[in-house]
Amino acid sequence: MESSAYELNALSSWEYLSLFLFRPLLAIIFVLSLLLLGWFLAWKLVLVHVPLVQEIFGLRKKPVNRKPENRRRLTQFYNNLNSQSSVSQWCCDIVSGTSKD
């Protein structure tokens, strides 16, 4: 009686293989698939729109802004100062009655 009970409780080699190899392997594959699915959804829904991620992965091409040709702001500023000072000098000369003409 004991030998037959032992044989019933004994696991076959396929059951050992299933218990110690297939189940852990399937569990690891399941967890990795969940992680990959979560990463894919986060990438498509959120991360693609983050400028830092776009810059790191080269997803966004920065538009090349050409500099305008009339960009000389300092030159224009000093030219305006000179023209204003000459106009104010001209106004002062007219008011005071001394004209260079």
mmCIF file with all atom_site columns, all heavy atoms in Angstrom, residues 28-55:
data_model
loop_
_atom_site.group_PDB
_atom_site.id
_atom_site.type_symbol
_atom_site.label_atom_id
_atom_site.label_alt_id
_atom_site.label_comp_id
_atom_site.label_asym_id
_atom_site.label_entity_id
_atom_site.label_seq_id
_atom_site.pdbx_PDB_ins_code
_atom_site.Cartn_x
_atom_site.Cartn_y
_atom_site.Cartn_z
_atom_site.occupancy
_atom_site.B_iso_or_equiv
_atom_site.pdbx_formal_charge
_atom_site.auth_seq_id
_atom_site.auth_comp_id
_atom_site.auth_asym_id
_atom_site.auth_atom_id
_atom_site.pdbx_PDB_model_num
ATOM 1   N N   . ILE A 1 28 ? 8.286  35.148 -16.020 1.00 0.00 ? 28 ILE A N   1
ATOM 2   C CA  . ILE A 1 28 ? 9.229  36.198 -16.436 1.00 0.00 ? 28 ILE A CA  1
ATOM 3   C C   . ILE A 1 28 ? 8.782  36.819 -17.753 1.00 0.00 ? 28 ILE A C   1
ATOM 4   O O   . ILE A 1 28 ? 8.800  38.046 -17.916 1.00 0.00 ? 28 ILE A O   1
ATOM 5   C CB  . ILE A 1 28 ? 10.650 35.612 -16.536 1.00 0.00 ? 28 ILE A CB  1
ATOM 6   C CG1 . ILE A 1 28 ? 11.167 35.282 -15.138 1.00 0.00 ? 28 ILE A CG1 1
ATOM 7   C CG2 . ILE A 1 28 ? 11.591 36.577 -17.241 1.00 0.00 ? 28 ILE A CG2 1
ATOM 8   C CD1 . ILE A 1 28 ? 12.470 34.514 -15.122 1.00 0.00 ? 28 ILE A CD1 1
ATOM 9   N N   . ILE A 1 29 ? 8.345  36.006 -18.691 1.00 0.00 ? 29 ILE A N   1
ATOM 10  C CA  . ILE A 1 29 ? 7.856  36.531 -19.974 1.00 0.00 ? 29 ILE A CA  1
ATOM 11  C C   . ILE A 1 29 ? 6.622  37.409 -19.761 1.00 0.00 ? 29 ILE A C   1
ATOM 12  O O   . ILE A 1 29 ? 6.496  38.478 -20.381 1.00 0.00 ? 29 ILE A O   1
ATOM 13  C CB  . ILE A 1 29 ? 7.558  35.373 -20.944 1.00 0.00 ? 29 ILE A CB  1
ATOM 14  C CG1 . ILE A 1 29 ? 8.867  34.718 -21.381 1.00 0.00 ? 29 ILE A CG1 1
ATOM 15  C CG2 . ILE A 1 29 ? 6.766  35.847 -22.148 1.00 0.00 ? 29 ILE A CG2 1
ATOM 16  C CD1 . ILE A 1 29 ? 8.682  33.452 -22.189 1.00 0.00 ? 29 ILE A CD1 1
ATOM 17  N N   . PHE A 1 30 ? 5.735  36.997 -18.871 1.00 0.00 ? 30 PHE A N   1
ATOM 18  C CA  . PHE A 1 30 ? 4.531  37.783 -18.587 1.00 0.00 ? 30 PHE A CA  1
ATOM 19  C C   . PHE A 1 30 ? 4.889  39.145 -18.001 1.00 0.00 ? 30 PHE A C   1
ATOM 20  O O   . PHE A 1 30 ? 4.374  40.182 -18.437 1.00 0.00 ? 30 PHE A O   1
ATOM 21  C CB  . PHE A 1 30 ? 3.627  37.002 -17.631 1.00 0.00 ? 30 PHE A CB  1
ATOM 22  C CG  . PHE A 1 30 ? 2.390  37.740 -17.239 1.00 0.00 ? 30 PHE A CG  1
ATOM 23  C CD1 . PHE A 1 30 ? 1.353  37.913 -18.137 1.00 0.00 ? 30 PHE A CD1 1
ATOM 24  C CD2 . PHE A 1 30 ? 2.256  38.266 -15.960 1.00 0.00 ? 30 PHE A CD2 1
ATOM 25  C CE1 . PHE A 1 30 ? 0.203  38.592 -17.776 1.00 0.00 ? 30 PHE A CE1 1
ATOM 26  C CE2 . PHE A 1 30 ? 1.106  38.949 -15.589 1.00 0.00 ? 30 PHE A CE2 1
ATOM 27  C CZ  . PHE A 1 30 ? 0.082  39.110 -16.503 1.00 0.00 ? 30 PHE A CZ  1
ATOM 28  N N   . VAL A 1 31 ? 5.806  39.168 -17.038 1.00 0.00 ? 31 VAL A N   1
ATOM 29  C CA  . VAL A 1 31 ? 6.201  40.428 -16.401 1.00 0.00 ? 31 VAL A CA  1
ATOM 30  C C   . VAL A 1 31 ? 6.901  41.335 -17.407 1.00 0.00 ? 31 VAL A C   1
ATOM 31  O O   . VAL A 1 31 ? 6.631  42.549 -17.473 1.00 0.00 ? 31 VAL A O   1
ATOM 32  C CB  . VAL A 1 31 ? 7.093  40.165 -15.172 1.00 0.00 ? 31 VAL A CB  1
ATOM 33  C CG1 . VAL A 1 31 ? 7.740  41.441 -14.671 1.00 0.00 ? 31 VAL A CG1 1
ATOM 34  C CG2 . VAL A 1 31 ? 6.282  39.508 -14.068 1.00 0.00 ? 31 VAL A CG2 1
ATOM 35  N N   . LEU A 1 32 ? 7.795  40.782 -18.217 1.00 0.00 ? 32 LEU A N   1
ATOM 36  C CA  . LEU A 1 32 ? 8.480  41.594 -19.224 1.00 0.00 ? 32 LEU A CA  1
ATOM 37  C C   . LEU A 1 32 ? 7.506  42.140 -20.260 1.00 0.00 ? 32 LEU A C   1
ATOM 38  O O   . LEU A 1 32 ? 7.651  43.287 -20.709 1.00 0.00 ? 32 LEU A O   1
ATOM 39  C CB  . LEU A 1 32 ? 9.583  40.783 -19.900 1.00 0.00 ? 32 LEU A CB  1
ATOM 40  C CG  . LEU A 1 32 ? 10.818 40.520 -19.053 1.00 0.00 ? 32 LEU A CG  1
ATOM 41  C CD1 . LEU A 1 32 ? 11.813 39.652 -19.812 1.00 0.00 ? 32 LEU A CD1 1
ATOM 42  C CD2 . LEU A 1 32 ? 11.466 41.815 -18.610 1.00 0.00 ? 32 LEU A CD2 1
ATOM 43  N N   . SER A 1 33 ? 6.522  41.345 -20.632 1.00 0.00 ? 33 SER A N   1
ATOM 44  C CA  . SER A 1 33 ? 5.541  41.849 -21.602 1.00 0.00 ? 33 SER A CA  1
ATOM 45  C C   . SER A 1 33 ? 4.714  42.986 -21.006 1.00 0.00 ? 33 SER A C   1
ATOM 46  O O   . SER A 1 33 ? 4.398  43.958 -21.702 1.00 0.00 ? 33 SER A O   1
ATOM 47  C CB  . SER A 1 33 ? 4.641  40.722 -22.094 1.00 0.00 ? 33 SER A CB  1
ATOM 48  O OG  . SER A 1 33 ? 3.850  40.233 -21.029 1.00 0.00 ? 33 SER A OG  1
ATOM 49  N N   . LEU A 1 34 ? 4.373  42.896 -19.726 1.00 0.00 ? 34 LEU A N   1
ATOM 50  C CA  . LEU A 1 34 ? 3.658  44.003 -19.080 1.00 0.00 ? 34 LEU A CA  1
ATOM 51  C C   . LEU A 1 34 ? 4.518  45.258 -19.024 1.00 0.00 ? 34 LEU A C   1
ATOM 52  O O   . LEU A 1 34 ? 4.033  46.377 -19.263 1.00 0.00 ? 34 LEU A O   1
ATOM 53  C CB  . LEU A 1 34 ? 3.218  43.612 -17.679 1.00 0.00 ? 34 LEU A CB  1
ATOM 54  C CG  . LEU A 1 34 ? 2.026  42.673 -17.567 1.00 0.00 ? 34 LEU A CG  1
ATOM 55  C CD1 . LEU A 1 34 ? 1.715  42.373 -16.112 1.00 0.00 ? 34 LEU A CD1 1
ATOM 56  C CD2 . LEU A 1 34 ? 0.806  43.268 -18.250 1.00 0.00 ? 34 LEU A CD2 1
ATOM 57  N N   . LEU A 1 35 ? 5.800  45.098 -18.709 1.00 0.00 ? 35 LEU A N   1
ATOM 58  C CA  . LEU A 1 35 ? 6.700  46.257 -18.670 1.00 0.00 ? 35 LEU A CA  1
ATOM 59  C C   . LEU A 1 35 ? 6.847  46.891 -20.054 1.00 0.00 ? 35 LEU A C   1
ATOM 60  O O   . LEU A 1 35 ? 6.815  48.120 -20.186 1.00 0.00 ? 35 LEU A O   1
ATOM 61  C CB  . LEU A 1 35 ? 8.069  45.845 -18.141 1.00 0.00 ? 35 LEU A CB  1
ATOM 62  C CG  . LEU A 1 35 ? 8.153  45.563 -16.649 1.00 0.00 ? 35 LEU A CG  1
ATOM 63  C CD1 . LEU A 1 35 ? 9.518  44.999 -16.290 1.00 0.00 ? 35 LEU A CD1 1
ATOM 64  C CD2 . LEU A 1 35 ? 7.888  46.830 -15.865 1.00 0.00 ? 35 LEU A CD2 1
ATOM 65  N N   . LEU A 1 36 ? 7.017  46.063 -21.077 1.00 0.00 ? 36 LEU A N   1
ATOM 66  C CA  . LEU A 1 36 ? 7.142  46.603 -22.436 1.00 0.00 ? 36 LEU A CA  1
ATOM 67  C C   . LEU A 1 36 ? 5.859  47.285 -22.894 1.00 0.00 ? 36 LEU A C   1
ATOM 68  O O   . LEU A 1 36 ? 5.906  48.335 -23.543 1.00 0.00 ? 36 LEU A O   1
ATOM 69  C CB  . LEU A 1 36 ? 7.532  45.490 -23.399 1.00 0.00 ? 36 LEU A CB  1
ATOM 70  C CG  . LEU A 1 36 ? 8.968  45.002 -23.275 1.00 0.00 ? 36 LEU A CG  1
ATOM 71  C CD1 . LEU A 1 36 ? 9.203  43.804 -24.184 1.00 0.00 ? 36 LEU A CD1 1
ATOM 72  C CD2 . LEU A 1 36 ? 9.936  46.114 -23.590 1.00 0.00 ? 36 LEU A CD2 1
ATOM 73  N N   . LEU A 1 37 ? 4.716  46.702 -22.564 1.00 0.00 ? 37 LEU A N   1
ATOM 74  C CA  . LEU A 1 37 ? 3.445  47.333 -22.921 1.00 0.00 ? 37 LEU A CA  1
ATOM 75  C C   . LEU A 1 37 ? 3.281  48.672 -22.216 1.00 0.00 ? 37 LEU A C   1
ATOM 76  O O   . LEU A 1 37 ? 2.866  49.671 -22.821 1.00 0.00 ? 37 LEU A O   1
ATOM 77  C CB  . LEU A 1 37 ? 2.282  46.402 -22.576 1.00 0.00 ? 37 LEU A CB  1
ATOM 78  C CG  . LEU A 1 37 ? 0.890  46.954 -22.858 1.00 0.00 ? 37 LEU A CG  1
ATOM 79  C CD1 . LEU A 1 37 ? 0.683  47.109 -24.353 1.00 0.00 ? 37 LEU A CD1 1
ATOM 80  C CD2 . LEU A 1 37 ? -0.162 46.068 -22.245 1.00 0.00 ? 37 LEU A CD2 1
ATOM 81  N N   . GLY A 1 38 ? 3.646  48.735 -20.934 1.00 0.00 ? 38 GLY A N   1
ATOM 82  C CA  . GLY A 1 38 ? 3.571  49.997 -20.195 1.00 0.00 ? 38 GLY A CA  1
ATOM 83  C C   . GLY A 1 38 ? 4.507  51.044 -20.758 1.00 0.00 ? 38 GLY A C   1
ATOM 84  O O   . GLY A 1 38 ? 4.145  52.213 -20.891 1.00 0.00 ? 38 GLY A O   1
ATOM 85  N N   . TRP A 1 39 ? 5.732  50.640 -21.113 1.00 0.00 ? 39 TRP A N   1
ATOM 86  C CA  . TRP A 1 39 ? 6.689  51.582 -21.695 1.00 0.00 ? 39 TRP A CA  1
ATOM 87  C C   . TRP A 1 39 ? 6.183  52.086 -23.044 1.00 0.00 ? 39 TRP A C   1
ATOM 88  O O   . TRP A 1 39 ? 6.280  53.276 -23.351 1.00 0.00 ? 39 TRP A O   1
ATOM 89  C CB  . TRP A 1 39 ? 8.057  50.929 -21.848 1.00 0.00 ? 39 TRP A CB  1
ATOM 90  C CG  . TRP A 1 39 ? 9.019  51.825 -22.539 1.00 0.00 ? 39 TRP A CG  1
ATOM 91  C CD1 . TRP A 1 39 ? 9.427  51.771 -23.827 1.00 0.00 ? 39 TRP A CD1 1
ATOM 92  C CD2 . TRP A 1 39 ? 9.677  52.981 -21.979 1.00 0.00 ? 39 TRP A CD2 1
ATOM 93  N NE1 . TRP A 1 39 ? 10.293 52.791 -24.104 1.00 0.00 ? 39 TRP A NE1 1
ATOM 94  C CE2 . TRP A 1 39 ? 10.461 53.546 -22.986 1.00 0.00 ? 39 TRP A CE2 1
ATOM 95  C CE3 . TRP A 1 39 ? 9.658  53.553 -20.707 1.00 0.00 ? 39 TRP A CE3 1
ATOM 96  C CZ2 . TRP A 1 39 ? 11.231 54.674 -22.761 1.00 0.00 ? 39 TRP A CZ2 1
ATOM 97  C CZ3 . TRP A 1 39 ? 10.437 54.693 -20.509 1.00 0.00 ? 39 TRP A CZ3 1
ATOM 98  C CH2 . TRP A 1 39 ? 11.202 55.230 -21.516 1.00 0.00 ? 39 TRP A CH2 1
ATOM 99  N N   . PHE A 1 40 ? 5.653  51.192 -23.856 1.00 0.00 ? 40 PHE A N   1
ATOM 100 C CA  . PHE A 1 40 ? 5.143  51.585 -25.166 1.00 0.00 ? 40 PHE A CA  1
ATOM 101 C C   . PHE A 1 40 ? 4.008  52.593 -25.028 1.00 0.00 ? 40 PHE A C   1
ATOM 102 O O   . PHE A 1 40 ? 3.980  53.611 -25.728 1.00 0.00 ? 40 PHE A O   1
ATOM 103 C CB  . PHE A 1 40 ? 4.677  50.344 -25.930 1.00 0.00 ? 40 PHE A CB  1
ATOM 104 C CG  . PHE A 1 40 ? 4.106  50.644 -27.274 1.00 0.00 ? 40 PHE A CG  1
ATOM 105 C CD1 . PHE A 1 40 ? 4.932  50.979 -28.335 1.00 0.00 ? 40 PHE A CD1 1
ATOM 106 C CD2 . PHE A 1 40 ? 2.735  50.610 -27.488 1.00 0.00 ? 40 PHE A CD2 1
ATOM 107 C CE1 . PHE A 1 40 ? 4.411  51.266 -29.579 1.00 0.00 ? 40 PHE A CE1 1
ATOM 108 C CE2 . PHE A 1 40 ? 2.198  50.890 -28.719 1.00 0.00 ? 40 PHE A CE2 1
ATOM 109 C CZ  . PHE A 1 40 ? 3.042  51.223 -29.771 1.00 0.00 ? 40 PHE A CZ  1
ATOM 110 N N   . LEU A 1 41 ? 3.079  52.334 -24.123 1.00 0.00 ? 41 LEU A N   1
ATOM 111 C CA  . LEU A 1 41 ? 1.966  53.269 -23.923 1.00 0.00 ? 41 LEU A CA  1
ATOM 112 C C   . LEU A 1 41 ? 2.459  54.613 -23.385 1.00 0.00 ? 41 LEU A C   1
ATOM 113 O O   . LEU A 1 41 ? 2.014  55.671 -23.829 1.00 0.00 ? 41 LEU A O   1
ATOM 114 C CB  . LEU A 1 41 ? 0.934  52.668 -22.976 1.00 0.00 ? 41 LEU A CB  1
ATOM 115 C CG  . LEU A 1 41 ? 0.093  51.535 -23.549 1.00 0.00 ? 41 LEU A CG  1
ATOM 116 C CD1 . LEU A 1 41 ? -0.809 50.946 -22.483 1.00 0.00 ? 41 LEU A CD1 1
ATOM 117 C CD2 . LEU A 1 41 ? -0.730 52.021 -24.720 1.00 0.00 ? 41 LEU A CD2 1
ATOM 118 N N   . ALA A 1 42 ? 3.389  54.580 -22.433 1.00 0.00 ? 42 ALA A N   1
ATOM 119 C CA  . ALA A 1 42 ? 3.932  55.840 -21.906 1.00 0.00 ? 42 ALA A CA  1
ATOM 120 C C   . ALA A 1 42 ? 4.662  56.607 -22.996 1.00 0.00 ? 42 ALA A C   1
ATOM 121 O O   . ALA A 1 42 ? 4.571  57.831 -23.082 1.00 0.00 ? 42 ALA A O   1
ATOM 122 C CB  . ALA A 1 42 ? 4.868  55.548 -20.731 1.00 0.00 ? 42 ALA A CB  1
ATOM 123 N N   . TRP A 1 43 ? 5.387  55.900 -23.841 1.00 0.00 ? 43 TRP A N   1
ATOM 124 C CA  . TRP A 1 43 ? 6.127  56.550 -24.920 1.00 0.00 ? 43 TRP A CA  1
ATOM 125 C C   . TRP A 1 43 ? 5.172  57.218 -25.895 1.00 0.00 ? 43 TRP A C   1
ATOM 126 O O   . TRP A 1 43 ? 5.341  58.373 -26.259 1.00 0.00 ? 43 TRP A O   1
ATOM 127 C CB  . TRP A 1 43 ? 6.989  55.520 -25.650 1.00 0.00 ? 43 TRP A CB  1
ATOM 128 C CG  . TRP A 1 43 ? 7.737  56.092 -26.796 1.00 0.00 ? 43 TRP A CG  1
ATOM 129 C CD1 . TRP A 1 43 ? 7.401  56.063 -28.106 1.00 0.00 ? 43 TRP A CD1 1
ATOM 130 C CD2 . TRP A 1 43 ? 8.963  56.832 -26.728 1.00 0.00 ? 43 TRP A CD2 1
ATOM 131 N NE1 . TRP A 1 43 ? 8.328  56.722 -28.859 1.00 0.00 ? 43 TRP A NE1 1
ATOM 132 C CE2 . TRP A 1 43 ? 9.298  57.196 -28.040 1.00 0.00 ? 43 TRP A CE2 1
ATOM 133 C CE3 . TRP A 1 43 ? 9.799  57.201 -25.683 1.00 0.00 ? 43 TRP A CE3 1
ATOM 134 C CZ2 . TRP A 1 43 ? 10.439 57.921 -28.323 1.00 0.00 ? 43 TRP A CZ2 1
ATOM 135 C CZ3 . TRP A 1 43 ? 10.924 57.916 -25.985 1.00 0.00 ? 43 TRP A CZ3 1
ATOM 136 C CH2 . TRP A 1 43 ? 11.246 58.273 -27.285 1.00 0.00 ? 43 TRP A CH2 1
ATOM 137 N N   . LYS A 1 44 ? 4.167  56.474 -26.329 1.00 0.00 ? 44 LYS A N   1
ATOM 138 C CA  . LYS A 1 44 ? 3.247  57.009 -27.332 1.00 0.00 ? 44 LYS A CA  1
ATOM 139 C C   . LYS A 1 44 ? 2.357  58.122 -26.782 1.00 0.00 ? 44 LYS A C   1
ATOM 140 O O   . LYS A 1 44 ? 2.028  59.058 -27.502 1.00 0.00 ? 44 LYS A O   1
ATOM 141 C CB  . LYS A 1 44 ? 2.351  55.892 -27.886 1.00 0.00 ? 44 LYS A CB  1
ATOM 142 C CG  . LYS A 1 44 ? 3.060  54.966 -28.821 1.00 0.00 ? 44 LYS A CG  1
ATOM 143 C CD  . LYS A 1 44 ? 3.445  55.693 -30.066 1.00 0.00 ? 44 LYS A CD  1
ATOM 144 C CE  . LYS A 1 44 ? 4.040  54.760 -31.083 1.00 0.00 ? 44 LYS A CE  1
ATOM 145 N NZ  . LYS A 1 44 ? 4.478  55.464 -32.274 1.00 0.00 ? 44 LYS A NZ  1
ATOM 146 N N   . LEU A 1 45 ? 1.962  58.016 -25.524 1.00 0.00 ? 45 LEU A N   1
ATOM 147 C CA  . LEU A 1 45 ? 0.992  58.968 -24.993 1.00 0.00 ? 45 LEU A CA  1
ATOM 148 C C   . LEU A 1 45 ? 1.633  60.180 -24.339 1.00 0.00 ? 45 LEU A C   1
ATOM 149 O O   . LEU A 1 45 ? 1.080  61.276 -24.385 1.00 0.00 ? 45 LEU A O   1
ATOM 150 C CB  . LEU A 1 45 ? 0.069  58.274 -23.991 1.00 0.00 ? 45 LEU A CB  1
ATOM 151 C CG  . LEU A 1 45 ? -0.799 57.160 -24.570 1.00 0.00 ? 45 LEU A CG  1
ATOM 152 C CD1 . LEU A 1 45 ? -1.586 56.485 -23.467 1.00 0.00 ? 45 LEU A CD1 1
ATOM 153 C CD2 . LEU A 1 45 ? -1.718 57.691 -25.641 1.00 0.00 ? 45 LEU A CD2 1
ATOM 154 N N   . VAL A 1 46 ? 2.798  60.018 -23.697 1.00 0.00 ? 46 VAL A N   1
ATOM 155 C CA  . VAL A 1 46 ? 3.346  61.102 -22.893 1.00 0.00 ? 46 VAL A CA  1
ATOM 156 C C   . VAL A 1 46 ? 4.750  61.507 -23.333 1.00 0.00 ? 46 VAL A C   1
ATOM 157 O O   . VAL A 1 46 ? 5.014  62.673 -23.623 1.00 0.00 ? 46 VAL A O   1
ATOM 158 C CB  . VAL A 1 46 ? 3.372  60.710 -21.394 1.00 0.00 ? 46 VAL A CB  1
ATOM 159 C CG1 . VAL A 1 46 ? 4.003  61.792 -20.558 1.00 0.00 ? 46 VAL A CG1 1
ATOM 160 C CG2 . VAL A 1 46 ? 1.973  60.404 -20.910 1.00 0.00 ? 46 VAL A CG2 1
ATOM 161 N N   . LEU A 1 47 ? 5.650  60.542 -23.374 1.00 0.00 ? 47 LEU A N   1
ATOM 162 C CA  . LEU A 1 47 ? 7.064  60.876 -23.510 1.00 0.00 ? 47 LEU A CA  1
ATOM 163 C C   . LEU A 1 47 ? 7.424  61.502 -24.849 1.00 0.00 ? 47 LEU A C   1
ATOM 164 O O   . LEU A 1 47 ? 8.374  62.275 -24.929 1.00 0.00 ? 47 LEU A O   1
ATOM 165 C CB  . LEU A 1 47 ? 7.915  59.624 -23.277 1.00 0.00 ? 47 LEU A CB  1
ATOM 166 C CG  . LEU A 1 47 ? 7.869  59.088 -21.857 1.00 0.00 ? 47 LEU A CG  1
ATOM 167 C CD1 . LEU A 1 47 ? 8.664  57.803 -21.759 1.00 0.00 ? 47 LEU A CD1 1
ATOM 168 C CD2 . LEU A 1 47 ? 8.386  60.107 -20.874 1.00 0.00 ? 47 LEU A CD2 1
ATOM 169 N N   . VAL A 1 48 ? 6.691  61.202 -25.889 1.00 0.00 ? 48 VAL A N   1
ATOM 170 C CA  . VAL A 1 48 ? 6.991  61.777 -27.196 1.00 0.00 ? 48 VAL A CA  1
ATOM 171 C C   . VAL A 1 48 ? 6.786  63.285 -27.191 1.00 0.00 ? 48 VAL A C   1
ATOM 172 O O   . VAL A 1 48 ? 7.444  64.017 -27.918 1.00 0.00 ? 48 VAL A O   1
ATOM 173 C CB  . VAL A 1 48 ? 6.121  61.099 -28.279 1.00 0.00 ? 48 VAL A CB  1
ATOM 174 C CG1 . VAL A 1 48 ? 6.242  61.790 -29.610 1.00 0.00 ? 48 VAL A CG1 1
ATOM 175 C CG2 . VAL A 1 48 ? 6.518  59.654 -28.416 1.00 0.00 ? 48 VAL A CG2 1
ATOM 176 N N   . HIS A 1 49 ? 5.917  63.763 -26.314 1.00 0.00 ? 49 HIS A N   1
ATOM 177 C CA  . HIS A 1 49 ? 5.589  65.182 -26.282 1.00 0.00 ? 49 HIS A CA  1
ATOM 178 C C   . HIS A 1 49 ? 6.473  65.986 -25.343 1.00 0.00 ? 49 HIS A C   1
ATOM 179 O O   . HIS A 1 49 ? 6.341  67.210 -25.273 1.00 0.00 ? 49 HIS A O   1
ATOM 180 C CB  . HIS A 1 49 ? 4.125  65.368 -25.887 1.00 0.00 ? 49 HIS A CB  1
ATOM 181 C CG  . HIS A 1 49 ? 3.198  64.626 -26.797 1.00 0.00 ? 49 HIS A CG  1
ATOM 182 N ND1 . HIS A 1 49 ? 3.008  64.968 -28.112 1.00 0.00 ? 49 HIS A ND1 1
ATOM 183 C CD2 . HIS A 1 49 ? 2.437  63.529 -26.589 1.00 0.00 ? 49 HIS A CD2 1
ATOM 184 C CE1 . HIS A 1 49 ? 2.159  64.135 -28.664 1.00 0.00 ? 49 HIS A CE1 1
ATOM 185 N NE2 . HIS A 1 49 ? 1.802  63.235 -27.762 1.00 0.00 ? 49 HIS A NE2 1
ATOM 186 N N   . VAL A 1 50 ? 7.378  65.353 -24.621 1.00 0.00 ? 50 VAL A N   1
ATOM 187 C CA  . VAL A 1 50 ? 8.263  66.050 -23.687 1.00 0.00 ? 50 VAL A CA  1
ATOM 188 C C   . VAL A 1 50 ? 9.468  66.569 -24.471 1.00 0.00 ? 50 VAL A C   1
ATOM 189 O O   . VAL A 1 50 ? 10.172 65.787 -25.115 1.00 0.00 ? 50 VAL A O   1
ATOM 190 C CB  . VAL A 1 50 ? 8.717  65.108 -22.552 1.00 0.00 ? 50 VAL A CB  1
ATOM 191 C CG1 . VAL A 1 50 ? 9.703  65.794 -21.640 1.00 0.00 ? 50 VAL A CG1 1
ATOM 192 C CG2 . VAL A 1 50 ? 7.520  64.610 -21.774 1.00 0.00 ? 50 VAL A CG2 1
ATOM 193 N N   . PRO A 1 51 ? 9.733  67.882 -24.439 1.00 0.00 ? 51 PRO A N   1
ATOM 194 C CA  . PRO A 1 51 ? 10.821 68.433 -25.245 1.00 0.00 ? 51 PRO A CA  1
ATOM 195 C C   . PRO A 1 51 ? 12.195 67.851 -24.917 1.00 0.00 ? 51 PRO A C   1
ATOM 196 O O   . PRO A 1 51 ? 13.010 67.655 -25.815 1.00 0.00 ? 51 PRO A O   1
ATOM 197 C CB  . PRO A 1 51 ? 10.778 69.934 -24.925 1.00 0.00 ? 51 PRO A CB  1
ATOM 198 C CG  . PRO A 1 51 ? 9.406  70.187 -24.450 1.00 0.00 ? 51 PRO A CG  1
ATOM 199 C CD  . PRO A 1 51 ? 8.949  68.928 -23.779 1.00 0.00 ? 51 PRO A CD  1
ATOM 200 N N   . LEU A 1 52 ? 12.459 67.561 -23.651 1.00 0.00 ? 52 LEU A N   1
ATOM 201 C CA  . LEU A 1 52 ? 13.760 66.996 -23.293 1.00 0.00 ? 52 LEU A CA  1
ATOM 202 C C   . LEU A 1 52 ? 13.955 65.622 -23.932 1.00 0.00 ? 52 LEU A C   1
ATOM 203 O O   . LEU A 1 52 ? 15.020 65.336 -24.488 1.00 0.00 ? 52 LEU A O   1
ATOM 204 C CB  . LEU A 1 52 ? 13.893 66.891 -21.775 1.00 0.00 ? 52 LEU A CB  1
ATOM 205 C CG  . LEU A 1 52 ? 15.193 66.276 -21.270 1.00 0.00 ? 52 LEU A CG  1
ATOM 206 C CD1 . LEU A 1 52 ? 16.361 67.171 -21.641 1.00 0.00 ? 52 LEU A CD1 1
ATOM 207 C CD2 . LEU A 1 52 ? 15.136 66.059 -19.784 1.00 0.00 ? 52 LEU A CD2 1
ATOM 208 N N   . VAL A 1 53 ? 12.926 64.802 -23.920 1.00 0.00 ? 53 VAL A N   1
ATOM 209 C CA  . VAL A 1 53 ? 13.010 63.473 -24.533 1.00 0.00 ? 53 VAL A CA  1
ATOM 210 C C   . VAL A 1 53 ? 13.150 63.619 -26.043 1.00 0.00 ? 53 VAL A C   1
ATOM 211 O O   . VAL A 1 53 ? 13.913 62.891 -26.676 1.00 0.00 ? 53 VAL A O   1
ATOM 212 C CB  . VAL A 1 53 ? 11.780 62.629 -24.158 1.00 0.00 ? 53 VAL A CB  1
ATOM 213 C CG1 . VAL A 1 53 ? 11.779 61.300 -24.883 1.00 0.00 ? 53 VAL A CG1 1
ATOM 214 C CG2 . VAL A 1 53 ? 11.729 62.407 -22.659 1.00 0.00 ? 53 VAL A CG2 1
ATOM 215 N N   . GLN A 1 54 ? 12.449 64.560 -26.619 1.00 0.00 ? 54 GLN A N   1
ATOM 216 C CA  . GLN A 1 54 ? 12.568 64.790 -28.065 1.00 0.00 ? 54 GLN A CA  1
ATOM 217 C C   . GLN A 1 54 ? 13.986 65.179 -28.434 1.00 0.00 ? 54 GLN A C   1
ATOM 218 O O   . GLN A 1 54 ? 14.529 64.716 -29.437 1.00 0.00 ? 54 GLN A O   1
ATOM 219 C CB  . GLN A 1 54 ? 11.610 65.892 -28.495 1.00 0.00 ? 54 GLN A CB  1
ATOM 220 C CG  . GLN A 1 54 ? 10.166 65.495 -28.442 1.00 0.00 ? 54 GLN A CG  1
ATOM 221 C CD  . GLN A 1 54 ? 9.246  66.650 -28.770 1.00 0.00 ? 54 GLN A CD  1
ATOM 222 O OE1 . GLN A 1 54 ? 9.683  67.801 -28.858 1.00 0.00 ? 54 GLN A OE1 1
ATOM 223 N NE2 . GLN A 1 54 ? 7.970  66.364 -28.936 1.00 0.00 ? 54 GLN A NE2 1
ATOM 224 N N   . GLU A 1 55 ? 14.599 66.017 -27.614 1.00 0.00 ? 55 GLU A N   1
ATOM 225 C CA  . GLU A 1 55 ? 15.952 66.456 -27.905 1.00 0.00 ? 55 GLU A CA  1
ATOM 226 C C   . GLU A 1 55 ? 16.960 65.325 -27.726 1.00 0.00 ? 55 GLU A C   1
ATOM 227 O O   . GLU A 1 55 ? 17.877 65.174 -28.524 1.00 0.00 ? 55 GLU A O   1
ATOM 228 C CB  . GLU A 1 55 ? 16.314 67.626 -26.986 1.00 0.00 ? 55 GLU A CB  1
ATOM 229 C CG  . GLU A 1 55 ? 17.607 68.291 -27.349 1.00 0.00 ? 55 GLU A CG  1
ATOM 230 C CD  . GLU A 1 55 ? 17.830 69.547 -26.526 1.00 0.00 ? 55 GLU A CD  1
ATOM 231 O OE1 . GLU A 1 55 ? 16.846 70.204 -26.156 1.00 0.00 ? 55 GLU A OE1 1
ATOM 232 O OE2 . GLU A 1 55 ? 19.001 69.835 -26.260 1.00 0.00 ? 55 GLU A OE2 1
#
